[in-house]
């Protein structure tokens, strides 16, 4: 049995836009914060033992800022959401590794880890289903 997808409805388009904006609300301020506090960001990355912390900080702020702007506009949304999902899972593993911190920190780190995994799930839904009709992607498709 085959399934022919139908065009998104007005409510679906509005919800897709809201999803993009809410996800961007997390990443854009975080990326701008990394620009403003670049030295602190580099220090935090270095404290986790990751190589080339300056390069990592630049990659992180570019992914967060450009990814958030792409989500807001609905521009190349599937790619942006996929990149942000991978980035978010990597951040969970490297920066919220609750299994490797003192017991007093485990609960907070596990909560942050779980939130990152859930955020990645939302991003993967955008990657799977696209930006919706209220997006640059839809305008480029002629929808």
């Amino acid at each position: 049995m085959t399934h022919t997808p139908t065009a998104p409805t007005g409510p679906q388009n509005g919800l897709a836009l809201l999803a993009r904006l809410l996800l961007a609300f997390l990443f854009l301020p975080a990326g701008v914060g990394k620009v403003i506090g670049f030295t602190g960001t580099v220090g935090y990355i270095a404290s986790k033992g990751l190589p080339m912390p300056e390069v990592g900080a630049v990659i992180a702020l570019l992914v967060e800022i450009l990814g958030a702007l792409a989500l807001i506009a609905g521009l190349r949304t599937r790619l942006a959401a996929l990149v942000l999902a991978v980035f978010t899972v990597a951040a969970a593993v490297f920066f919220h590794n609750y299994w490797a911190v003192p017991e007093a920190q485990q609960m907070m780190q596990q909560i942050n880890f779980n939130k990152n995994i859930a955020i990645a799930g939302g991003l993967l839904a955008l990657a799977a289903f696209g930006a919706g009709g209220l997006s640059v992607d839809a305008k480029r498709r002629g929808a």
Side-chain angles (χ1 to χ4, degrees):
M1 176 179 273
T2 61
H3 173 71
T4 305
T6 59
T9 65
Q12 288 171 325
N13 287 328
L15 288 172
L17 173 61
L18 184 58
R20 294 190 342 254
L21 294 175
L22 291 174
L23 287 163
F25 181 74
L26 173 71
F27 291 103
L28 188 57
V32 170
K34 285 175 178 63
V35 172
I36 294 168
F38 188 77
T39 302
T41 300
V42 169
Y44 183 57
I45 293 170
S47 77
K48 294 295 185 173
L50 296 173
M52 300 185 299
E54 294 87 359
V55 173
V58 169
I59 290 169
L61 70 87
L62 287 173
V63 166
E64 289 178 332
I65 292 171
L66 296 176
L69 292 174
L71 292 183
I72 291 167
L75 175 64
R76 299 188 52 92
T77 306
R78 291 175 190 262
L79 176 62
L82 188 58
V83 169
L84 284 167
V86 170
F87 172 82
T88 302
V89 170
V93 170
F94 289 111
F95 296 100
H96 303 299
N97 52 340
Y98 64 91
W99 54 89
V101 298
E103 187 175 345
Q105 298 173 15
Q106 284 180 355
M107 183 188 300
M108 185 53 64
Q109 290 305 323
Q110 186 172 11
I111 289 168
N112 286 325
F113 180 91
N114 292 345
K115 283 182 183 181
N116 275 33
I117 298 304
I119 291 163
L123 289 162
L124 290 174
L126 276 180
F129 298 106
L134 302 173
S135 65
V136 172
D137 291 342
K139 300 293 182 244
R140 293 169 84 188
R141 280 192 325 269

